[in-house]
Amino acid sequence: MFSFLKRMFGRDEPESAAIGRRGEREAEKLLKKKGYQVLARNFRSGRDEIDLICLQGKTVIFVEVRTRAAGALVSGYDSINRRKREALKRVCRSYFSIMKPKPLTLRFDVVEVEHEEGTVTQARHFADVPLFSKAANRGR
């Protein structure tokens, strides 16, 4: 889409999008150091998107990356509101529906990336964040 904007208006992508992509790359590096294997990046289903889908052992992990300026009033973790959670559930279910074979365990993680003027200063990983009900892993 950004290449389309550049052709139409002669502009590069917005700086916020570039910072967000840097945050996603930083999150991916962090997770790979922890032994995660990346299955998909920026998976979309309709208007919904999940940043990373990973595998650790036999567990499929859906990862939302939140990039924020250092000292932001609302942390990346806390910025995931009810509407965003519902969108994440939809896109995760969509990915799960096309997986073969189906994994026995699903998990949702958040990686919060802080930056100062576009330079990443810190990344924090929150594993097993409640997004799905316990019944989701039992096929209900």
Side-chain angles (χ1 to χ4, degrees):
M1 178 172 146
F2 292 118
S3 60
F4 168 76
L5 289 174
K6 189 173 182 180
R7 285 193 308 269
M8 285 293 290
F9 301 107
R11 288 192 255 162
D12 290 324
E13 67 183 340
E15 181 64 20
S16 61
I19 290 170
R21 277 200 343 273
R22 275 184 235 135
E24 288 175 9
R25 285 192 304 267
E26 188 67 27
E28 187 174 335
K29 284 188 337 190
L30 173 68
L31 295 173
K32 282 182 175 180
K33 284 181 187 175
K34 293 182 172 194
Y36 288 44
Q37 174 189 350
V38 176
L39 300 175
R41 291 173 192 85
N42 302 108
F43 176 79
R44 288 189 161 279
S45 177
R47 296 177 63 175
D48 303 323
E49 179 189 35
I50 186 77
D51 297 316
L52 295 168
I53 302 171
C54 300
L55 184 67
Q56 185 184 41
K58 294 182 180 181
T59 302
V60 171
I61 305 157
F62 298 98
V63 182
E64 176 67 6
V65 179
R66 306 300 274 192
T67 305
R68 293 282 185 269
L73 293 177
V74 177
S75 71
Y77 181 94
D78 292 324
S79 71
I80 302 174
N81 60 23
R82 185 180 59 79
R83 188 168 68 186
K84 181 63 175 178
R85 284 182 187 278
E86 293 304 316
L88 289 167
K89 286 179 190 178
R90 285 191 303 269
V91 73
C92 292
R93 286 184 183 122
S94 176
Y95 187 84
F96 181 77
S97 73
I98 63 172
M99 291 185 75
K100 293 193 185 337
K102 301 289 188 214
L104 294 177
T105 307
L106 300 174
R107 195 172 86 205
F108 180 72
D109 290 5
V110 174
V111 175
E112 184 179 86
V113 178
E114 284 186 2
H115 73 92
E116 286 187 30
E117 298 179 19
T119 301
V120 173
T121 57
Q122 186 173 26
R124 287 182 289 282
H125 176 214
F126 300 92
D128 204 15
V129 174
L131 179 66
F132 303 107
S133 69
K134 297 231 185 266
N137 284 342
R138 293 194 300 261
R140 290 189 187 173

mmCIF file with all atom_site columns, all heavy atoms in Angstrom, residues 22-24 26-27 65-69 76 111-115 120-124:
data_model
loop_
_atom_site.group_PDB
_atom_site.id
_atom_site.type_symbol
_atom_site.label_atom_id
_atom_site.label_alt_id
_atom_site.label_comp_id
_atom_site.label_asym_id
_atom_site.label_entity_id
_atom_site.label_seq_id
_atom_site.pdbx_PDB_ins_code
_atom_site.Cartn_x
_atom_site.Cartn_y
_atom_site.Cartn_z
_atom_site.occupancy
_atom_site.B_iso_or_equiv
_atom_site.pdbx_formal_charge
_atom_site.auth_seq_id
_atom_site.auth_comp_id
_atom_site.auth_asym_id
_atom_site.auth_atom_id
_atom_site.pdbx_PDB_model_num
ATOM 1   N N   . ARG A 1 22  ? 10.271 -1.256  12.401 1.00 0.00 ? 22  ARG A N   1
ATOM 2   C CA  . ARG A 1 22  ? 11.514 -1.471  13.176 1.00 0.00 ? 22  ARG A CA  1
ATOM 3   C C   . ARG A 1 22  ? 11.206 -2.216  14.463 1.00 0.00 ? 22  ARG A C   1
ATOM 4   O O   . ARG A 1 22  ? 11.949 -3.096  14.884 1.00 0.00 ? 22  ARG A O   1
ATOM 5   C CB  . ARG A 1 22  ? 12.198 -0.143  13.493 1.00 0.00 ? 22  ARG A CB  1
ATOM 6   C CG  . ARG A 1 22  ? 13.086 0.334   12.382 1.00 0.00 ? 22  ARG A CG  1
ATOM 7   C CD  . ARG A 1 22  ? 13.831 1.596   12.762 1.00 0.00 ? 22  ARG A CD  1
ATOM 8   N NE  . ARG A 1 22  ? 13.504 2.536   11.708 1.00 0.00 ? 22  ARG A NE  1
ATOM 9   C CZ  . ARG A 1 22  ? 13.154 3.792   11.861 1.00 0.00 ? 22  ARG A CZ  1
ATOM 10  N NH1 . ARG A 1 22  ? 13.115 4.324   13.058 1.00 0.00 ? 22  ARG A NH1 1
ATOM 11  N NH2 . ARG A 1 22  ? 12.866 4.543   10.846 1.00 0.00 ? 22  ARG A NH2 1
ATOM 12  N N   . GLY A 1 23  ? 10.109 -1.855  15.104 1.00 0.00 ? 23  GLY A N   1
ATOM 13  C CA  . GLY A 1 23  ? 9.701  -2.541  16.323 1.00 0.00 ? 23  GLY A CA  1
ATOM 14  C C   . GLY A 1 23  ? 9.408  -4.009  16.068 1.00 0.00 ? 23  GLY A C   1
ATOM 15  O O   . GLY A 1 23  ? 9.801  -4.877  16.861 1.00 0.00 ? 23  GLY A O   1
ATOM 16  N N   . GLU A 1 24  ? 8.760  -4.304  14.958 1.00 0.00 ? 24  GLU A N   1
ATOM 17  C CA  . GLU A 1 24  ? 8.467  -5.701  14.618 1.00 0.00 ? 24  GLU A CA  1
ATOM 18  C C   . GLU A 1 24  ? 9.753  -6.486  14.358 1.00 0.00 ? 24  GLU A C   1
ATOM 19  O O   . GLU A 1 24  ? 9.870  -7.637  14.776 1.00 0.00 ? 24  GLU A O   1
ATOM 20  C CB  . GLU A 1 24  ? 7.541  -5.769  13.410 1.00 0.00 ? 24  GLU A CB  1
ATOM 21  C CG  . GLU A 1 24  ? 6.123  -5.337  13.739 1.00 0.00 ? 24  GLU A CG  1
ATOM 22  C CD  . GLU A 1 24  ? 5.220  -5.288  12.529 1.00 0.00 ? 24  GLU A CD  1
ATOM 23  O OE1 . GLU A 1 24  ? 5.625  -5.745  11.435 1.00 0.00 ? 24  GLU A OE1 1
ATOM 24  O OE2 . GLU A 1 24  ? 4.086  -4.784  12.676 1.00 0.00 ? 24  GLU A OE2 1
ATOM 25  N N   . GLU A 1 26  ? 12.666 -5.843  15.672 1.00 0.00 ? 26  GLU A N   1
ATOM 26  C CA  . GLU A 1 26  ? 13.307 -6.005  16.985 1.00 0.00 ? 26  GLU A CA  1
ATOM 27  C C   . GLU A 1 26  ? 12.631 -7.128  17.773 1.00 0.00 ? 26  GLU A C   1
ATOM 28  O O   . GLU A 1 26  ? 13.292 -7.942  18.418 1.00 0.00 ? 26  GLU A O   1
ATOM 29  C CB  . GLU A 1 26  ? 13.242 -4.696  17.771 1.00 0.00 ? 26  GLU A CB  1
ATOM 30  C CG  . GLU A 1 26  ? 14.027 -4.694  19.047 1.00 0.00 ? 26  GLU A CG  1
ATOM 31  C CD  . GLU A 1 26  ? 15.535 -4.766  18.835 1.00 0.00 ? 26  GLU A CD  1
ATOM 32  O OE1 . GLU A 1 26  ? 16.031 -4.328  17.783 1.00 0.00 ? 26  GLU A OE1 1
ATOM 33  O OE2 . GLU A 1 26  ? 16.223 -5.272  19.739 1.00 0.00 ? 26  GLU A OE2 1
ATOM 34  N N   . ALA A 1 27  ? 11.312 -7.175  17.719 1.00 0.00 ? 27  ALA A N   1
ATOM 35  C CA  . ALA A 1 27  ? 10.570 -8.239  18.408 1.00 0.00 ? 27  ALA A CA  1
ATOM 36  C C   . ALA A 1 27  ? 10.945 -9.597  17.832 1.00 0.00 ? 27  ALA A C   1
ATOM 37  O O   . ALA A 1 27  ? 11.156 -10.557 18.580 1.00 0.00 ? 27  ALA A O   1
ATOM 38  C CB  . ALA A 1 27  ? 9.064  -7.995  18.260 1.00 0.00 ? 27  ALA A CB  1
ATOM 39  N N   . VAL A 1 65  ? 2.882  -7.034  18.388 1.00 0.00 ? 65  VAL A N   1
ATOM 40  C CA  . VAL A 1 65  ? 3.998  -6.146  18.712 1.00 0.00 ? 65  VAL A CA  1
ATOM 41  C C   . VAL A 1 65  ? 3.441  -4.740  18.850 1.00 0.00 ? 65  VAL A C   1
ATOM 42  O O   . VAL A 1 65  ? 2.737  -4.254  17.966 1.00 0.00 ? 65  VAL A O   1
ATOM 43  C CB  . VAL A 1 65  ? 5.087  -6.191  17.615 1.00 0.00 ? 65  VAL A CB  1
ATOM 44  C CG1 . VAL A 1 65  ? 6.232  -5.246  17.966 1.00 0.00 ? 65  VAL A CG1 1
ATOM 45  C CG2 . VAL A 1 65  ? 5.596  -7.611  17.414 1.00 0.00 ? 65  VAL A CG2 1
ATOM 46  N N   . ARG A 1 66  ? 3.760  -4.099  19.957 1.00 0.00 ? 66  ARG A N   1
ATOM 47  C CA  . ARG A 1 66  ? 3.308  -2.727  20.205 1.00 0.00 ? 66  ARG A CA  1
ATOM 48  C C   . ARG A 1 66  ? 4.536  -1.848  20.388 1.00 0.00 ? 66  ARG A C   1
ATOM 49  O O   . ARG A 1 66  ? 5.314  -2.045  21.321 1.00 0.00 ? 66  ARG A O   1
ATOM 50  C CB  . ARG A 1 66  ? 2.418  -2.661  21.443 1.00 0.00 ? 66  ARG A CB  1
ATOM 51  C CG  . ARG A 1 66  ? 1.239  -3.627  21.405 1.00 0.00 ? 66  ARG A CG  1
ATOM 52  C CD  . ARG A 1 66  ? 0.337  -3.377  20.240 1.00 0.00 ? 66  ARG A CD  1
ATOM 53  N NE  . ARG A 1 66  ? -0.635 -2.360  20.591 1.00 0.00 ? 66  ARG A NE  1
ATOM 54  C CZ  . ARG A 1 66  ? -1.696 -2.063  19.891 1.00 0.00 ? 66  ARG A CZ  1
ATOM 55  N NH1 . ARG A 1 66  ? -1.924 -2.682  18.762 1.00 0.00 ? 66  ARG A NH1 1
ATOM 56  N NH2 . ARG A 1 66  ? -2.520 -1.145  20.283 1.00 0.00 ? 66  ARG A NH2 1
ATOM 57  N N   . THR A 1 67  ? 4.723  -0.901  19.491 1.00 0.00 ? 67  THR A N   1
ATOM 58  C CA  . THR A 1 67  ? 5.871  -0.004  19.535 1.00 0.00 ? 67  THR A CA  1
ATOM 59  C C   . THR A 1 67  ? 5.401  1.355   20.018 1.00 0.00 ? 67  THR A C   1
ATOM 60  O O   . THR A 1 67  ? 4.458  1.925   19.465 1.00 0.00 ? 67  THR A O   1
ATOM 61  C CB  . THR A 1 67  ? 6.523  0.094   18.138 1.00 0.00 ? 67  THR A CB  1
ATOM 62  O OG1 . THR A 1 67  ? 6.846  -1.223  17.684 1.00 0.00 ? 67  THR A OG1 1
ATOM 63  C CG2 . THR A 1 67  ? 7.787  0.930   18.187 1.00 0.00 ? 67  THR A CG2 1
ATOM 64  N N   . ARG A 1 68  ? 6.059  1.847   21.049 1.00 0.00 ? 68  ARG A N   1
ATOM 65  C CA  . ARG A 1 68  ? 5.684  3.114   21.669 1.00 0.00 ? 68  ARG A CA  1
ATOM 66  C C   . ARG A 1 68  ? 6.924  3.954   21.949 1.00 0.00 ? 68  ARG A C   1
ATOM 67  O O   . ARG A 1 68  ? 8.011  3.420   22.174 1.00 0.00 ? 68  ARG A O   1
ATOM 68  C CB  . ARG A 1 68  ? 4.987  2.878   23.027 1.00 0.00 ? 68  ARG A CB  1
ATOM 69  C CG  . ARG A 1 68  ? 3.651  2.215   22.927 1.00 0.00 ? 68  ARG A CG  1
ATOM 70  C CD  . ARG A 1 68  ? 2.615  3.267   22.491 1.00 0.00 ? 68  ARG A CD  1
ATOM 71  N NE  . ARG A 1 68  ? 1.280  2.741   22.471 1.00 0.00 ? 68  ARG A NE  1
ATOM 72  C CZ  . ARG A 1 68  ? 0.703  2.190   21.413 1.00 0.00 ? 68  ARG A CZ  1
ATOM 73  N NH1 . ARG A 1 68  ? 1.374  2.029   20.310 1.00 0.00 ? 68  ARG A NH1 1
ATOM 74  N NH2 . ARG A 1 68  ? -0.546 1.793   21.457 1.00 0.00 ? 68  ARG A NH2 1
ATOM 75  N N   . ALA A 1 69  ? 6.731  5.257   21.999 1.00 0.00 ? 69  ALA A N   1
ATOM 76  C CA  . ALA A 1 69  ? 7.811  6.153   22.393 1.00 0.00 ? 69  ALA A CA  1
ATOM 77  C C   . ALA A 1 69  ? 8.129  5.918   23.862 1.00 0.00 ? 69  ALA A C   1
ATOM 78  O O   . ALA A 1 69  ? 7.226  5.651   24.668 1.00 0.00 ? 69  ALA A O   1
ATOM 79  C CB  . ALA A 1 69  ? 7.402  7.605   22.170 1.00 0.00 ? 69  ALA A CB  1
ATOM 80  N N   . GLY A 1 76  ? 2.596  -0.171  25.616 1.00 0.00 ? 76  GLY A N   1
ATOM 81  C CA  . GLY A 1 76  ? 2.147  -0.985  24.495 1.00 0.00 ? 76  GLY A CA  1
ATOM 82  C C   . GLY A 1 76  ? 1.227  -2.098  24.952 1.00 0.00 ? 76  GLY A C   1
ATOM 83  O O   . GLY A 1 76  ? 0.190  -2.360  24.348 1.00 0.00 ? 76  GLY A O   1
ATOM 84  N N   . VAL A 1 111 ? 4.836  -8.328  22.566 1.00 0.00 ? 111 VAL A N   1
ATOM 85  C CA  . VAL A 1 111 ? 6.173  -7.758  22.685 1.00 0.00 ? 111 VAL A CA  1
ATOM 86  C C   . VAL A 1 111 ? 5.994  -6.253  22.615 1.00 0.00 ? 111 VAL A C   1
ATOM 87  O O   . VAL A 1 111 ? 5.403  -5.721  21.672 1.00 0.00 ? 111 VAL A O   1
ATOM 88  C CB  . VAL A 1 111 ? 7.141  -8.248  21.587 1.00 0.00 ? 111 VAL A CB  1
ATOM 89  C CG1 . VAL A 1 111 ? 8.485  -7.526  21.706 1.00 0.00 ? 111 VAL A CG1 1
ATOM 90  C CG2 . VAL A 1 111 ? 7.330  -9.750  21.673 1.00 0.00 ? 111 VAL A CG2 1
ATOM 91  N N   . GLU A 1 112 ? 6.477  -5.601  23.651 1.00 0.00 ? 112 GLU A N   1
ATOM 92  C CA  . GLU A 1 112 ? 6.391  -4.150  23.771 1.00 0.00 ? 112 GLU A CA  1
ATOM 93  C C   . GLU A 1 112 ? 7.773  -3.583  23.449 1.00 0.00 ? 112 GLU A C   1
ATOM 94  O O   . GLU A 1 112 ? 8.755  -3.946  24.088 1.00 0.00 ? 112 GLU A O   1
ATOM 95  C CB  . GLU A 1 112 ? 5.980  -3.830  25.211 1.00 0.00 ? 112 GLU A CB  1
ATOM 96  C CG  . GLU A 1 112 ? 5.757  -2.400  25.510 1.00 0.00 ? 112 GLU A CG  1
ATOM 97  C CD  . GLU A 1 112 ? 5.340  -2.238  26.963 1.00 0.00 ? 112 GLU A CD  1
ATOM 98  O OE1 . GLU A 1 112 ? 6.230  -2.142  27.816 1.00 0.00 ? 112 GLU A OE1 1
ATOM 99  O OE2 . GLU A 1 112 ? 4.142  -2.227  27.231 1.00 0.00 ? 112 GLU A OE2 1
ATOM 100 N N   . VAL A 1 113 ? 7.838  -2.732  22.439 1.00 0.00 ? 113 VAL A N   1
ATOM 101 C CA  . VAL A 1 113 ? 9.107  -2.151  22.010 1.00 0.00 ? 113 VAL A CA  1
ATOM 102 C C   . VAL A 1 113 ? 9.053  -0.648  22.256 1.00 0.00 ? 113 VAL A C   1
ATOM 103 O O   . VAL A 1 113 ? 8.115  0.017   21.831 1.00 0.00 ? 113 VAL A O   1
ATOM 104 C CB  . VAL A 1 113 ? 9.375  -2.443  20.512 1.00 0.00 ? 113 VAL A CB  1
ATOM 105 C CG1 . VAL A 1 113 ? 10.683 -1.803  20.058 1.00 0.00 ? 113 VAL A CG1 1
ATOM 106 C CG2 . VAL A 1 113 ? 9.380  -3.939  20.249 1.00 0.00 ? 113 VAL A CG2 1
ATOM 107 N N   . GLU A 1 114 ? 10.064 -0.137  22.949 1.00 0.00 ? 114 GLU A N   1
ATOM 108 C CA  . GLU A 1 114 ? 10.159 1.310   23.179 1.00 0.00 ? 114 GLU A CA  1
ATOM 109 C C   . GLU A 1 114 ? 11.197 1.897   22.240 1.00 0.00 ? 114 GLU A C   1
ATOM 110 O O   . GLU A 1 114 ? 12.195 1.260   21.915 1.00 0.00 ? 114 GLU A O   1
ATOM 111 C CB  . GLU A 1 114 ? 10.582 1.603   24.622 1.00 0.00 ? 114 GLU A CB  1
ATOM 112 C CG  . GLU A 1 114 ? 9.494  1.412   25.626 1.00 0.00 ? 114 GLU A CG  1
ATOM 113 C CD  . GLU A 1 114 ? 9.910  1.857   27.026 1.00 0.00 ? 114 GLU A CD  1
ATOM 114 O OE1 . GLU A 1 114 ? 11.040 2.362   27.210 1.00 0.00 ? 114 GLU A OE1 1
ATOM 115 O OE2 . GLU A 1 114 ? 9.093  1.691   27.926 1.00 0.00 ? 114 GLU A OE2 1
ATOM 116 N N   . HIS A 1 115 ? 10.944 3.138   21.830 1.00 0.00 ? 115 HIS A N   1
ATOM 117 C CA  . HIS A 1 115 ? 11.919 3.827   20.985 1.00 0.00 ? 115 HIS A CA  1
ATOM 118 C C   . HIS A 1 115 ? 12.033 5.287   21.416 1.00 0.00 ? 115 HIS A C   1
ATOM 119 O O   . HIS A 1 115 ? 11.127 5.842   22.040 1.00 0.00 ? 115 HIS A O   1
ATOM 120 C CB  . HIS A 1 115 ? 11.521 3.740   19.502 1.00 0.00 ? 115 HIS A CB  1
ATOM 121 C CG  . HIS A 1 115 ? 10.349 4.619   19.164 1.00 0.00 ? 115 HIS A CG  1
ATOM 122 N ND1 . HIS A 1 115 ? 10.500 5.905   18.715 1.00 0.00 ? 115 HIS A ND1 1
ATOM 123 C CD2 . HIS A 1 115 ? 9.017  4.399   19.223 1.00 0.00 ? 115 HIS A CD2 1
ATOM 124 C CE1 . HIS A 1 115 ? 9.305  6.438   18.500 1.00 0.00 ? 115 HIS A CE1 1
ATOM 125 N NE2 . HIS A 1 115 ? 8.395  5.537   18.813 1.00 0.00 ? 115 HIS A NE2 1
ATOM 126 N N   . VAL A 1 120 ? 15.303 2.080   18.626 1.00 0.00 ? 120 VAL A N   1
ATOM 127 C CA  . VAL A 1 120 ? 14.801 1.148   19.636 1.00 0.00 ? 120 VAL A CA  1
ATOM 128 C C   . VAL A 1 120 ? 15.684 1.211   20.873 1.00 0.00 ? 120 VAL A C   1
ATOM 129 O O   . VAL A 1 120 ? 16.906 1.142   20.789 1.00 0.00 ? 120 VAL A O   1
ATOM 130 C CB  . VAL A 1 120 ? 14.754 -0.291  19.082 1.00 0.00 ? 120 VAL A CB  1
ATOM 131 C CG1 . VAL A 1 120 ? 14.408 -1.283  20.171 1.00 0.00 ? 120 VAL A CG1 1
ATOM 132 C CG2 . VAL A 1 120 ? 13.753 -0.381  17.942 1.00 0.00 ? 120 VAL A CG2 1
ATOM 133 N N   . THR A 1 121 ? 15.049 1.379   22.034 1.00 0.00 ? 121 THR A N   1
ATOM 134 C CA  . THR A 1 121 ? 15.795 1.456   23.292 1.00 0.00 ? 121 THR A CA  1
ATOM 135 C C   . THR A 1 121 ? 15.565 0.240   24.183 1.00 0.00 ? 121 THR A C   1
ATOM 136 O O   . THR A 1 121 ? 16.418 -0.083  24.998 1.00 0.00 ? 121 THR A O   1
ATOM 137 C CB  . THR A 1 121 ? 15.413 2.726   24.076 1.00 0.00 ? 121 THR A CB  1
ATOM 138 O OG1 . THR A 1 121 ? 14.001 2.724   24.305 1.00 0.00 ? 121 THR A OG1 1
ATOM 139 C CG2 . THR A 1 121 ? 15.816 3.979   23.327 1.00 0.00 ? 121 THR A CG2 1
ATOM 140 N N   . GLN A 1 122 ? 14.410 -0.423  24.018 1.00 0.00 ? 122 GLN A N   1
ATOM 141 C CA  . GLN A 1 122 ? 14.114 -1.557  24.882 1.00 0.00 ? 122 GLN A CA  1
ATOM 142 C C   . GLN A 1 122 ? 12.998 -2.387  24.278 1.00 0.00 ? 122 GLN A C   1
ATOM 143 O O   . GLN A 1 122 ? 12.103 -1.864  23.607 1.00 0.00 ? 122 GLN A O   1
ATOM 144 C CB  . GLN A 1 122 ? 13.686 -1.062  26.264 1.00 0.00 ? 122 GLN A CB  1
ATOM 145 C CG  . GLN A 1 122 ? 13.504 -2.147  27.279 1.00 0.00 ? 122 GLN A CG  1
ATOM 146 C CD  . GLN A 1 122 ? 13.237 -1.573  28.669 1.00 0.00 ? 122 GLN A CD  1
ATOM 147 O OE1 . GLN A 1 122 ? 12.740 -0.475  28.813 1.00 0.00 ? 122 GLN A OE1 1
ATOM 148 N NE2 . GLN A 1 122 ? 13.556 -2.347  29.677 1.00 0.00 ? 122 GLN A NE2 1
ATOM 149 N N   . ALA A 1 123 ? 13.069 -3.702  24.511 1.00 0.00 ? 123 ALA A N   1
ATOM 150 C CA  . ALA A 1 123 ? 11.990 -4.599  24.096 1.00 0.00 ? 123 ALA A CA  1
ATOM 151 C C   . ALA A 1 123 ? 11.675 -5.526  25.254 1.00 0.00 ? 123 ALA A C   1
ATOM 152 O O   . ALA A 1 123 ? 12.581 -6.072  25.878 1.00 0.00 ? 123 ALA A O   1
ATOM 153 C CB  . ALA A 1 123 ? 12.398 -5.392  22.861 1.00 0.00 ? 123 ALA A CB  1
ATOM 154 N N   . ARG A 1 124 ? 10.360 -5.663  25.549 1.00 0.00 ? 124 ARG A N   1
ATOM 155 C CA  . ARG A 1 124 ? 9.918  -6.534  26.639 1.00 0.00 ? 124 ARG A CA  1
ATOM 156 C C   . ARG A 1 124 ? 8.936  -7.556  26.080 1.00 0.00 ? 124 ARG A C   1
ATOM 157 O O   . ARG A 1 124 ? 8.037  -7.210  25.321 1.00 0.00 ? 124 ARG A O   1
ATOM 158 C CB  . ARG A 1 124 ? 9.236  -5.718  27.731 1.00 0.00 ? 124 ARG A CB  1
ATOM 159 C CG  . ARG A 1 124 ? 10.185 -4.893  28.562 1.00 0.00 ? 124 ARG A CG  1
ATOM 160 C CD  . ARG A 1 124 ? 9.471  -4.144  29.668 1.00 0.00 ? 124 ARG A CD  1
ATOM 161 N NE  . ARG A 1 124 ? 8.640  -3.037  29.216 1.00 0.00 ? 124 ARG A NE  1
ATOM 162 C CZ  . ARG A 1 124 ? 9.099  -1.844  28.847 1.00 0.00 ? 124 ARG A CZ  1
ATOM 163 N NH1 . ARG A 1 124 ? 10.388 -1.600  28.859 1.00 0.00 ? 124 ARG A NH1 1
ATOM 164 N NH2 . ARG A 1 124 ? 8.275  -0.892  28.471 1.00 0.00 ? 124 ARG A NH2 1
#
